[in-house]
């Protein structure tokens, strides 16, 4: 139940004040295409919350509905206990940072960051001070007098972030803001974003399709698939105990085992998951330790990836596994395993996760 106010906002009778954002029974269709289906979500104040999923999974649509750039087919968007479903974007206390920095090319960095404050008619001296503080928070004070084209991609992204933060929104929405950056710069910006979010104390809602990025930065992750949330949890929880085969496969590399192979190993034909880093490779004549499962397999492929070496294995029964080994020793000092070698692939019982929602 809601009640309308003179501002057009609708007060929500149900207590949602403990959350920065609440989405209730949210649906969105584009013609016959269902983009978001009956979604319910609560995001606490000050949380770094990531929406993770492949293209077309609904995560960006949800972000745009929160921002007010898309209208929900039905359902509610509630910000700090107030229903803002019918409000325009500029009437919502949120701000959005896009992959496209959208900086004004003819304005200096200082002027770009001041722009939103000027639109709100903040006095000149005060807006200059607030903008300077925002630029300092992203460590770019020394570049305040430059134009956007004089900055690197990472620096421009920081300025776009400062321009959003200077308005002190209660919620900051980030739509794959690091997608255009190279790997090294992207990783540096991940650290910066996390630092800024902690210092500012603002709720961040971050959209990405990069699972490592979501794992590295988030307090919680929602994994989207086909317009629905398959699982929500802390990074460790979602990775170690996936609720479905989709989550297990999307969030990192998985070894999904079911049917006859699962029956042989675990006594059940249900689906189980083992992460590659949990599999230990040893001589095929080695004995299993107490509390271990194992299978004799042949290495069919080896790939050196820098920090790890990846092994593809296949047993005589046709079970295919992927194992990784951390490259801890110097080249030439490590134990070399090659294609064609037969090994014992073993793993502890507690490292086997049962997939509860397998159909």
């Amino acid at each position: 139940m809601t009640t309308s106010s003179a501002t057009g906002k609708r007060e929500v009778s149900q207590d949602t004040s403990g959350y920065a954002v609440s989405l209730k029974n949210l649906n969105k269709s584009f013609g016959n295409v269902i983009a978001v289906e009956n979604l319910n979500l609560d995001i606490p104040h000050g949380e770094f919350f990531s929406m993770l999923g492949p293209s077309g999974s609904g995560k960006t649509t949800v972000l745009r509905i929160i921002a007010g750039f898309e209208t929900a087919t039905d359902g509610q968007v509630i910000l700090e206990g107030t229903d803002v479903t019918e409000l325009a974007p500029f009437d919502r206390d949120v701000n959005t940072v896009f992959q496209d920095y959208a900086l004004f090319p003819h304005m200096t960095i200082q002027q770009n960051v001041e722009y939103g404050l000027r639109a709100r008619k903040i006095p000149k001296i005060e807006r200059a001070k607030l903008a300077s503080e925002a630029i300092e928070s992203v460590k770019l004070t020394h570049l305040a007098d430059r134009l956007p084209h004089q900055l690197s991609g990472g620096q421009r992204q920081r300025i776009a972030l400062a321009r959003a933060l200077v308005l002190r929104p209660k919620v900051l929405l980030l739509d794959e803001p690091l997608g255009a950056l190279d790997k090294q710069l992207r990783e540096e910006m991940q650290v910066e974003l996390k630092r800024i979010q902690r210092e500012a104390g603002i709720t961040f809602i971050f959209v990405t399709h990069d699972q490592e990025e979501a794992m590295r930065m988030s307090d919680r992750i929602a994994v989207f698939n086909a317009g629905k949330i398959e699982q929500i949890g802390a990074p460790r929880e979602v990775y170690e105990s996936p609720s479905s085969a989709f989550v297990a496969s999307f969030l990192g590399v998985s070894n999904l085992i079911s049917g006859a192979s699962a029956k042989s190993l675990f006594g059940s034909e249900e689906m189980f998951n083992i992460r590659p880093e949990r599999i230990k490779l040893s001589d095929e004549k080695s004995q299993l330790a107490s509390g271990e499962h194992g299978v004799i397999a042949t290495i069919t492929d080896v790939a050196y990836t820098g920090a790890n070496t990846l092994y593809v294995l296949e047993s005589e029964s046709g079970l295919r596994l992927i194992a990784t080994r951390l490259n801890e020793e110097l080249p030439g000092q490590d134990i070399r395993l090659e294609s064609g070698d037969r090994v014992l692939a073993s793993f502890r019982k507690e490292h086997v996760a049962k997939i509860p929602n397998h159909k």
Side-chain angles (χ1 to χ4, degrees):
M1 178 179 176
T2 61
T3 58
S4 297
S5 69
T7 63
K9 296 180 180 180
R10 296 186 296 170
E11 299 299 326
V12 181
S13 56
Q14 181 182 356
D15 183 17
T16 56
S17 58
Y19 300 107
V21 177
S22 291
L23 306 178
K24 302 298 182 186
N25 303 314
L26 201 68
N27 290 275
K28 177 63 178 179
S29 298
F30 297 96
N32 295 325
V33 177
I34 298 175
V36 180
E37 185 176 358
N38 197 34
L39 187 142
N40 289 278
L41 176 63
D42 293 315
I43 302 173
H45 298 281
E47 185 171 60
F48 197 122
F49 185 86
S50 287
M51 297 193 290
L52 174 69
S55 297
S57 60
K59 59 189 188 299
T60 297
T61 300
V62 170
L63 193 82
R64 289 178 62 82
I65 290 172
I66 296 171
F69 300 140
E70 294 282 357
T71 303
T73 304
D74 52 53
Q76 292 177 284
V77 179
I78 302 165
L79 300 180
E80 296 199 320
T82 300
D83 188 331
V84 299
T85 310
E86 298 177 3
L87 295 188
F90 51 80
D91 286 328
R92 304 183 185 203
D93 198 1
V94 302
N95 217 328
T96 307
V97 178
F98 299 99
Q99 186 178 129
D100 180 1
Y101 319 122
L103 300 175
F104 297 110
H106 62 287
M107 293 184 182
T108 66
I109 297 313
Q110 178 78 20
Q111 291 167 339
N112 262 282
V113 177
E114 285 187 27
Y115 181 80
L117 298 170
R118 189 172 66 184
R120 292 187 177 182
K121 303 189 185 308
I122 303 297
K124 183 176 181 179
I125 294 176
E126 184 180 354
R127 73 173 183 251
K129 178 178 179 292
L130 292 172
S132 295
E133 290 173 352
I135 294 171
E136 183 180 0
S137 76
V138 297
K139 310 296 185 186
L140 290 177
T141 300
H142 60 294
L143 301 177
D145 294 329
R146 294 193 184 182
L147 295 172
H149 76 270
Q150 296 174 304
L151 274 59
S152 69
Q155 289 169 337
R156 289 196 297 273
Q157 188 57 271
R158 291 189 195 194
I159 293 305
L161 185 63
R163 189 174 61 180
L165 288 170
V166 75
L167 299 174
R168 302 301 295 177
K170 295 194 171 109
V171 178
L172 187 63
L173 309 174
L174 301 107
D175 188 8
E176 304 213 38
L178 310 182
L181 305 181
D182 61 55
K183 179 176 173 58
Q184 181 176 350
L185 188 54
R186 185 170 184 152
E187 290 177 351
E188 291 174 1
M189 279 300 300
Q190 289 168 3
V191 174
E192 284 299 302
L193 271 178
K194 187 70 172 177
R195 175 188 65 80
I196 291 166
Q197 189 265 339
R198 286 286 180 257
E199 291 179 358
I202 294 173
T203 304
F204 275 29
I205 303 179
F206 188 88
V207 163
T208 182
H209 63 271
D210 185 322
Q211 65 264 28
E212 288 187 13
E213 187 166 83
M215 296 270 288
R216 183 173 185 174
M217 301 170 68
S218 311
D219 297 315
R220 286 192 305 154
I221 298 170
V223 183
F224 278 71
N225 182 31
K228 297 180 180 180
I229 294 176
E230 294 246 346
Q231 186 173 0
I232 297 179
R236 181 184 293 274
E237 175 189 350
V238 177
Y239 182 80
E240 299 289 356
S241 303
S243 64
S244 67
F246 174 83
V247 173
S249 299
F250 192 78
L251 206 69
V253 180
S254 295
N255 292 293
L256 296 170
I257 303 173
S258 60
S261 295
K263 179 73 173 178
S264 174
L265 281 168
F266 312 121
S268 168
E269 293 188 355
E270 295 180 83
M271 180 171 282
F272 299 85
N273 181 46
I274 309 157
R275 296 294 185 182
E277 66 273 14
R278 305 296 192 189
I279 297 177
K280 180 179 70 175
L281 303 182
S282 54
D283 184 272
E284 65 173 314
K285 296 180 181 178
S286 301
Q287 298 295 313
L288 289 172
S290 176
E292 283 188 333
H293 296 290
V295 60
I296 301 296
T298 301
I299 297 175
T300 61
D301 193 20
V302 179
Y304 177 83
T305 62
N308 300 284
T309 298
L310 182 147
Y311 301 92
V312 180
L313 316 165
E314 189 169 333
S315 71
E316 290 184 357
S317 65
L319 175 63
R320 184 176 179 273
L321 296 172
I322 296 175
T324 57
R325 174 184 285 178
L326 182 64
N327 294 324
E328 299 178 287
E329 303 296 336
L330 292 172
Q333 297 180 0
D334 54 340
I335 299 173
R336 298 294 298 274
L337 294 172
E338 300 178 348
S339 292
D341 289 349
R342 284 172 60 82
V343 294
L344 172 64
S346 59
F347 40 90
R348 287 162 34 194
K349 292 179 180 179
E350 60 265 32
H351 289 158
V352 179
K354 183 178 178 181
I355 304 298
N357 294 333
H358 174 59
K359 297 178 181 179

